[in-house]
Amino acid sequence: MKRGRPGPLSRGTAERALVSVDSGGGTGTAGTGGSGGGGAAAPCQAEERDPSRLWHVTLSVSGPRTPLAEVRRGLEQLANDHPFLLTSRYAVDHAEVRYWEEARDVHDAAAMALRLWGEHRSTAGLPPWETVGLEVIDRATYHQRLAEGYGPPPAVPVGVHPF
């Protein structure tokens, strides 16, 4: 699908189109076929990529003792910053965060999950803890576990709660 501005093209541009930038490690190059050179635009790479899926993530972190009020405040800010956060449980020296992540595959979902705590540490005021556990499962597996009585059913309602 090509999109462009209606009307005549300006400054000798043979064709004008919006082009997606490939964020993966693929062989495509950013800006291919967009403007100049007179060539036709490359096919839209978004249609060729695997569709993204939902992954249930459980991230466990731990570290030095931190006052409960600070941990709670940081997790509440993380919940505001990260809209798919389901639940957070915390204590003075560890926490567990559960949320849904949209990603192409388990590798992408895990990579984003491993960066979550560090990337939000300063903006959300999170403790200087390290990731000590990670589980990433697809939506079907999550629902299968719940149906069989196994897996991570929500231990507490959505939100930030102490262990």
Side-chain angles (χ1 to χ4, degrees), residues 138-162:
D138 68 352
R139 186 174 171 179
T141 303
Y142 176 80
H143 288 293
Q144 179 183 0
R145 285 184 181 180
L146 288 180
E148 293 174 353
Y150 302 107
V156 291
V158 172
V160 177
H161 306 279

Side-chain angles (χ1 to χ4, degrees), residues 59-151:
L59 180 69
S60 299
V61 294
S62 135
R65 295 178 64 87
T66 305
L68 284 177
E70 288 181 31
V71 177
R72 180 178 182 87
R73 187 173 36 252
L75 288 171
E76 287 174 344
Q77 184 60 47
L78 178 62
N80 288 333
D81 294 347
H82 199 277
F84 296 109
L85 195 73
L86 294 176
T87 62
S88 295
R89 299 187 303 166
Y90 64 94
V92 294
D93 61 351
H94 65 282
E96 177 184 89
V97 179
R98 294 182 185 175
Y99 65 97
W100 288 99
E101 184 69 72
E102 185 175 1
R104 185 178 57 213
D105 58 29
V106 69
H107 301 287
D108 289 348
M112 288 186 278
L114 289 170
R115 291 192 310 260
L116 178 75
W117 194 265
E119 289 181 354
H120 289 274
R121 183 177 294 151
S122 62
T123 58
L126 298 169
W129 295 347
E130 66 178 343
T131 300
V132 295
L134 175 66
E135 180 185 51
V136 181
I137 57 175
D138 68 352
R139 186 174 171 179
T141 303
Y142 176 80
H143 288 293
Q144 179 183 0
R145 285 184 181 180
L146 288 180
E148 293 174 353
Y150 302 107

Side-chain angles (χ1 to χ4, degrees), residues 15-81:
E15 184 173 340
R16 183 182 275 165
L18 296 177
V19 180
S20 164
V21 176
D22 184 15
S23 62
T27 58
T29 57
T32 307
S35 62
C44 181
Q45 292 179 359
E47 294 172 9
E48 297 172 8
R49 287 190 212 141
D50 294 335
S52 59
R53 298 164 44 191
L54 283 177
W55 301 90
H56 185 267
V57 175
T58 303
L59 180 69
S60 299
V61 294
S62 135
R65 295 178 64 87
T66 305
L68 284 177
E70 288 181 31
V71 177
R72 180 178 182 87
R73 187 173 36 252
L75 288 171
E76 287 174 344
Q77 184 60 47
L78 178 62
N80 288 333
D81 294 347

